[in-house]
Amino acid sequence: MAEVVRVAIRSDADIVMVRQQARVLAKELGFSASDLTLIATALSELARNIVDYAGQGEIILSLINQGGHRGLVIIARDNGPGITDIERAMQDGYSTGKGLGMGLPGTRRLMDEFEISSGMGQGTTVKVTKWAR
Amino acid sequence: MTEEMKQNTEKTLMEELGFTEVEIARRRAFLELGDDDIQELLSINKLAKEYADPVIEAFYKHLLSFEETRVFFQDPGLLERVKRAQKAYFSRLTQGDYDNTYIEDRLNIGAVHERIGLPVKAYLGMYNFYLRNVANHLYEAYKDMPGKALRVYLSLLKVVFLDIGLAIDTYINRREQLIGKQREAMRELPTPVLQVRDRLLIIPVVGILDSYRARQLTEQLLDSISATRAKAVLMDITGVPIVDSKVANHLLQTVSAARLMGATVILTGLSPQIAQALVAIGVDLSHVRTTVDLQSGLEEAERLLGYRLVPVGERTGTNQAHV
Ligand SMILES: Nc1ncnc2c1ncn2[C@@H]1O[C@H](COP(=O)(O)OP(=O)(O)O)[C@@H](O)[C@H]1O
Ligand SMILES: [Mg+2]
């Protein structure tokens, strides 16, 4: 069983693909049905942001084990335009598109850990983790 | 002129594959392909022209000696054209300027090979054959200069691997486009809007709700509402696996549009997991009527419409008076 999977994200169809891959990986860790849905939803948000704002990018899913603590790490990265004001982008309801502006802040609430690095012209990388209980 | 127009309307392969300057620079950096290599390669350009003919001859002799590659060359004219193009490419390899035009050329060549269905194993095998051939020529030519042949060869390997990477990406890209088209065809499946009884519609939403399908769904629903003068709509999302903020937004918009047309939408089939995820995201569905399953949705809709469902045995009062 592979512990790492990379999925290229270029269209809505890839969003489905990456969710399925994540489901397979996450099942290994014995996540509950609710956790699987929370993970899939977060993944959807991150993948959609790639498609909507960067055009294309990739998502890397990894199983990790930190001192017996097991979890799923999702890294969503793109070389798109980047986010100028991360603080604003992390606020509920802030969207430069026609979105609800809940994707990034929502993802933070859906997952256990959340890190974002981005800058104008530097692309965007979001790393989130869900720990198995 | 026509070429230019084509360039304006059609995406170049570089754009399609997302090859920006940055991406190309990254690829070069990963291969450690630098100015030294370019100098090395330029230094053998003259020599490369000398061995071009024997290399090309050996190359095509090899190609034609295997059935699986020979089948591509039924037309002698084609063989000649391809030979010429191949020769030009081999000499291009030692001319420096591995810039955008170079990259775009490589991508186009890769795309041609994919289109004719040349197997990747043949593609790689031929590169290998070429490299072995060139290695021998370099070895012979630089017998008196220790290390030179190897230095040049290693630089050549970098450019060749850059090219192989590009070509394989076009192969993958073509396949992905094909898969995308198939998916597209499947997506054309319409979402049925069913009339259950007077003024009551059911719309079962199944599968992935992307922007295209969401728009289609809204249109279909609004048309049906106006055609049937429906007052209540059951939108059942049991078959929607994940509702993220974008899907939720689409659903909310559909509900508002229906309301403007005088119909109340009841959302049914929202699983407890999805409900939990929506709460975590912070999407506010409090203005939307929701029920756990279709059954309770139906009851709610009938109440809205003023119907009352009563088991047959219990028919009493006004009903009996008519009999
Ligand atoms: N990968 C990305 N690249 C560039 N900008 C992004 C990316 N992801 C998010 N953003 C910016 O952050 C904003 C907030 O994102 P999000 O919370 O997902 O809300 P929404 O997608 O509904 O706008 C977006 O409107 C966009 O401007
Ligand atoms: Mg978003």
Side-chain angles (χ1 to χ4, degrees):
Chain A
M1 183 64 226
E3 311 251 291
V4 180
V5 184
R6 170 191 174 272
V7 181
I9 304 294
R10 293 199 286 185
S11 69
D12 279 355
D14 297 322
I15 301 177
V16 182
M17 174 89 85
V18 74
R19 282 202 311 235
Q20 284 163 353
Q21 298 272 18
R23 195 160 270 269
V24 174
L25 269 187
K27 274 211 173 123
E28 293 270 299
L29 298 193
F31 280 112
S32 66
S34 338
D35 275 349
L36 288 177
T37 306
L38 300 184
I39 292 167
T41 310
L43 206 46
S44 235
E45 295 292 350
L46 296 176
R48 266 191 215 285
N49 280 352
I50 291 178
V51 175
D52 287 352
Y53 305 113
Q56 57 182 304
E58 61 187 10
I59 288 186
I60 295 105
L61 306 164
S62 333
L63 294 183
I64 57 160
N65 188 336
Q66 258 175 28
H69 215 178
R70 307 213 300 156
L72 176 76
V73 177
I74 300 170
I75 296 174
R77 52 178 303 270
D78 63 67
N79 295 323
I83 303 172
T84 328
D85 190 344
I86 296 184
E87 210 169 302
R88 276 182 87 187
M90 289 307 299
Q91 281 168 12
D92 281 353
Y94 175 78
S95 174
T96 58
K98 286 187 200 136
L100 289 175
M102 304 303 280
L104 288 175
T107 301
R108 169 142 71 181
R109 288 186 287 266
L110 288 165
M111 303 295 283
D112 294 326
E113 281 170 31
F114 182 101
E115 282 169 43
I116 181 167
S117 68
S118 183
M120 201 161 54
Q122 288 165 31
T124 302
T125 301
V126 181
K127 179 177 163 188
V128 294
T129 309
K130 189 87 183 168
W131 296 108
R133 264 164 273 274
Chain B
M1 175 69 194
T2 44
E3 267 303 300
E4 251 172 56
M5 284 174 49
K6 227 172 115 191
Q7 295 243 313
N8 284 338
T9 48
E10 274 176 38
K11 264 196 189 175
T12 64
L13 264 177
M14 270 177 70
E15 288 166 346
E16 200 179 304
L17 288 154
F19 279 17
T20 54
E21 300 270 343
V22 178
E23 168 64 14
I24 295 166
R26 280 209 185 100
R27 283 182 185 230
R28 276 207 217 113
F30 196 71
L31 289 163
E32 299 189 304
L33 172 59
D35 291 341
D36 300 354
D37 298 297
I38 295 175
Q39 288 314 316
E40 288 293 353
L41 291 167
L42 286 171
S43 78
I44 64 152
N45 188 246
K46 197 167 150 282
L47 174 70
K49 286 203 172 97
E50 282 163 29
Y51 65 61
D53 279 321
V55 167
I56 279 287
E57 285 316 314
F59 189 84
Y60 280 91
K61 190 159 163 266
H62 185 71
L63 251 172
L64 295 175
S65 63
F66 287 84
E67 175 72 13
E68 56 203 310
T69 37
R70 186 169 54 232
V71 289
F72 289 100
F73 298 101
Q74 301 303 317
D75 173 33
L78 174 71
L79 181 61
E80 277 318 305
R81 281 198 304 280
V82 173
K83 262 191 188 178
R84 236 176 294 136
Q86 195 71 45
K87 195 170 154 183
Y89 167 56
F90 286 160
S91 103
R92 181 68 186 83
L93 274 172
T94 55
Q95 276 166 18
D97 281 338
Y98 307 107
D99 54 6
N100 283 5
T101 326
Y102 182 83
I103 303 282
E104 182 70 34
D105 279 353
R106 298 287 75 74
L107 294 174
N108 283 322
I109 302 283
V112 168
H113 284 138
E114 198 283 338
R115 207 175 304 132
I116 65 168
L118 182 76
V120 174
K121 61 179 177 183
Y123 191 79
L124 292 178
M126 289 316 294
Y127 258 118
N128 180 267
F129 182 88
Y130 165 76
L131 286 171
R132 279 183 283 126
N133 234 275
V134 170
N136 281 326
H137 282 282
L138 292 175
Y139 178 75
E140 286 301 323
Y142 294 113
K143 270 213 159 114
D144 311 328
M145 290 172 69
K148 171 71 177 173
L150 182 62
R151 279 204 309 280
V152 173
Y153 186 69
L154 290 180
S155 297
L156 182 64
L157 269 191
K158 294 178 186 178
V159 179
V160 163
F161 270 79
L162 176 70
D163 293 5
I164 291 176
L166 296 170
I168 289 182
D169 277 346
T170 63
Y171 267 72
I172 295 172
N173 180 49
R174 289 263 159 190
R175 291 297 148 106
E176 279 178 353
Q177 278 185 338
L178 198 71
I179 295 168
K181 281 205 190 98
Q182 286 165 347
R183 284 198 186 120
E184 202 73 20
M186 274 164 59
R187 213 171 58 167
E188 293 302 318
L189 297 173
T191 304
V193 183
L194 314 166
Q195 182 163 17
V196 211
R197 55 178 109 266
D198 197 28
R199 306 286 165 105
L200 174 57
L201 302 175
I202 292 191
I203 176 160
V205 189
V206 176
I208 313 302
L209 211 55
D210 52 29
S211 308
Y212 172 85
R213 274 199 70 209
R215 214 176 310 122
Q216 214 183 19
L217 183 142
T218 310
E219 269 170 30
Q220 264 170 5
L221 181 61
L222 298 183
D223 284 349
S224 304
I225 291 174
S226 104
T228 61
R229 291 164 40 236
K231 284 277 164 228
V233 178
L234 289 170
M235 186 147 67
D236 185 69
I237 59 163
T238 310
V240 179
I242 292 293
V243 179
D244 60 16
S245 66
K246 195 165 176 182
V247 172
N249 197 13
H250 282 312
L251 293 175
L252 286 170
Q253 283 171 0
T254 308
V255 170
S256 307
R259 187 175 297 142
L260 282 179
M261 297 192 59
T264 303
V265 175
I266 301 167
L267 205 59
T268 71
L270 197 71
S271 74
Q273 288 88 14
I274 290 182
Q276 196 190 351
L278 284 175
V279 170
I281 293 180
V283 171
D284 184 12
L285 284 185
S286 60
H287 301 298
V288 181
R289 282 175 194 253
T290 52
T291 62
V292 216
D293 54 19
L294 192 56
Q295 175 69 40
S296 26
L298 216 89
E299 284 163 17
E300 169 131 7
E302 280 164 341
R303 235 185 341 267
L304 259 168
L305 295 169
Y307 290 108
R308 196 165 63 94
L309 276 194
V310 184
V312 182
E314 290 175 25
R315 282 178 165 220
T316 50
T318 51
N319 269 350
Q320 269 181 347
H322 286 284
V323 179

